[in-house]
Structures are given as C-alpha cells and as structure tokens.
C-alpha cells in the first residue's frame, strides 16, 4: 500500500503499525513495565524496528519504547538519521523521547493515547512548537486507536493499585535497635 500523494502514510498503514505497537505494549505490561510500545517503519508500513518499555529490566531510565526503537532502527539502517521513516507509539512521547525523535530526523510520528503527566506534544507542553528547531515533523497524528492504548494504561495501573495485591505483601519487619536502616542502593557519590 503506497503512501498518499503528499507522501504521508495512509490511515490503514498507521492503524496496522499501531496494532503492532499495542502488542509490544502488552508485552511490556506482562513483564511488569509500563505498557508502552513503538515501531519505526517506512511510509509504506514496512517495519524497521519495534520495542517496548524496558526501564525496569534494563535498569535504565532512558529505556522507553521510543528510544529503544530509534536505537535499533539507527543500528539496522546504519545511520543515526532516520529520514524517510516514521515512528508509531502507543503513548504521546515524553520530552526525552520527542527530542530523540527530532534529533533522529524522523519524518513523522503517530501516537495513541495522550499522556497528561509527561506528554510533550500538548498534554504537558508542546516541544514541537519551540521556535528555532532545525527539524520539524512532516507528519504528526495523535489519537490513533487511543481508546485501546488508554485502556492498556488504565488496566495496568488499576491492577497495580488493587488493595488485594498490596495487602498480600507482608510488612517489613522493624530493624533491631541500633541496626542501620535497610539499604536502598549505594549512596550517591559526593560532588567534588
């Protein structure tokens, strides 16, 4: 299926790519990660890369689905510039992900659900409207299968907040007198 005369992907292409992203997001949820998925594809719908959130698995705060999909696409294409490609994400990108999308020179972006806490395309702020950017998206569409993407997020957090889930965990035993507090990981290094 070819893109429309302006070179933008046809709605059916975007919807098919969103369904792949939704499957990636479900995989993230199954692994206990926030359900977000993304694919990088050409405008005809041929998938170059796909990814899901892996922040917890990789212990990497930058391991968002969009970032991982962009990294893999750049590796496969052999170039950090992804001209001619689009990214389809289940959620409105956060500022970090939108900056990566712009730096990668992706031609377009489609996303599903808005992200009121971190969305960088109008929900929290609109980074794409900043003057002076040296790259603009040629194609931008939000709300693609938004109901399905929103349901994934809602169901994931509803499950995590269930009282039965929280009540089933035994409380932490208090530390004996004089014992150090439980470690929450290594202390940060002092600034020089």
């Amino acid at each position: 299926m070819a893109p429309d005369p302006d070179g933008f992907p046809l709605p059916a292409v975007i919807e098919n790519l969103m369904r792949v992203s939704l499957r990636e997001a479900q995989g993230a949820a199954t692994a206990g990660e926030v359900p977000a998925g993304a694919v990088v594809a050409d405008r005809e719908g041929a998938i170059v890369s796909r990814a899901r959130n892996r922040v917890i698995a990789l212990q990497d705060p930058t391991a968002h689905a969009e970032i991982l999909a962009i990294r893999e696409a750049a590796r496969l294409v052999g170039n950090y510039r992804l001209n001619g490609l689009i990214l389809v994400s289940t959620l409105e990108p956060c500022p970090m992900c939108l900056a990566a999308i712009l730096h990668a020179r992706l031609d377009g972006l489609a996303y599903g659900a808005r992200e009121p806490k971190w969305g960088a395309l109008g929900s929290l702020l609109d980074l794409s409207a900043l003057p002076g950017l040296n790259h603009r998206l040629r194609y931008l569409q939000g709300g693609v299968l938004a109901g399905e993407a929103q349901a994934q997020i809602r169901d994931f957090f509803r499950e995590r907040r269930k009282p039965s889930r929280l009540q089933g965990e035994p409380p932490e035993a208090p530390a004996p007198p004089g014992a150090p507090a439980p470690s929450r990981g290594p202390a940060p290094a002092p600034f020089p």
Side-chain angles (χ1 to χ4, degrees), residues 112-150:
R114 296 192 64 80
E115 183 20 280
K117 292 184 179 178
W118 284 99
L121 285 167
S123 290
L124 176 67
L125 66 144
D126 188 355
L127 289 181
S128 69
L130 289 176
L133 291 176
N134 65 348
H135 178 69
R136 302 274 177 198
L137 294 167
R138 292 184 57 229
Y139 170 82
L140 176 61
Q141 181 183 359
V144 180
L145 301 178
E148 292 179 43
Q150 187 62 45

Side-chain angles (χ1 to χ4, degrees), residues 19-57:
R19 291 202 183 284
V20 174
S21 293
L22 287 164
R23 285 193 297 276
E24 288 293 324
Q26 187 56 52
T30 300
E33 303 269 4
V34 171
V39 299
V40 173
D42 68 20
R43 288 176 283 196
E44 288 78 33
I47 295 174
V48 176
S49 66
R50 63 182 80 200
R52 62 188 63 157
N53 268 4
R54 298 194 64 217
V55 173
I56 297 167

Side-chain angles (χ1 to χ4, degrees), residues 35 92 105 132 190:
E92 176 183 6
R105 306 295 197 269

Side-chain angles (χ1 to χ4, degrees), residues 99-118:
I101 289 164
L102 294 172
H103 279 289
R105 306 295 197 269
L106 284 154
D107 277 3
L109 167 67
Y111 66 90
R114 296 192 64 80
E115 183 20 280
K117 292 184 179 178
W118 284 99

Side-chain angles (χ1 to χ4, degrees), residues 33-35 115 151-162:
E33 303 269 4
V34 171
E115 183 20 280
Q152 279 186 327
I153 289 287
R154 183 188 60 239
D155 294 348
F156 176 79
F157 284 108
R158 184 177 289 153
E159 182 63 30
R160 291 187 63 108
R161 293 182 183 118
K162 273 188 178 176

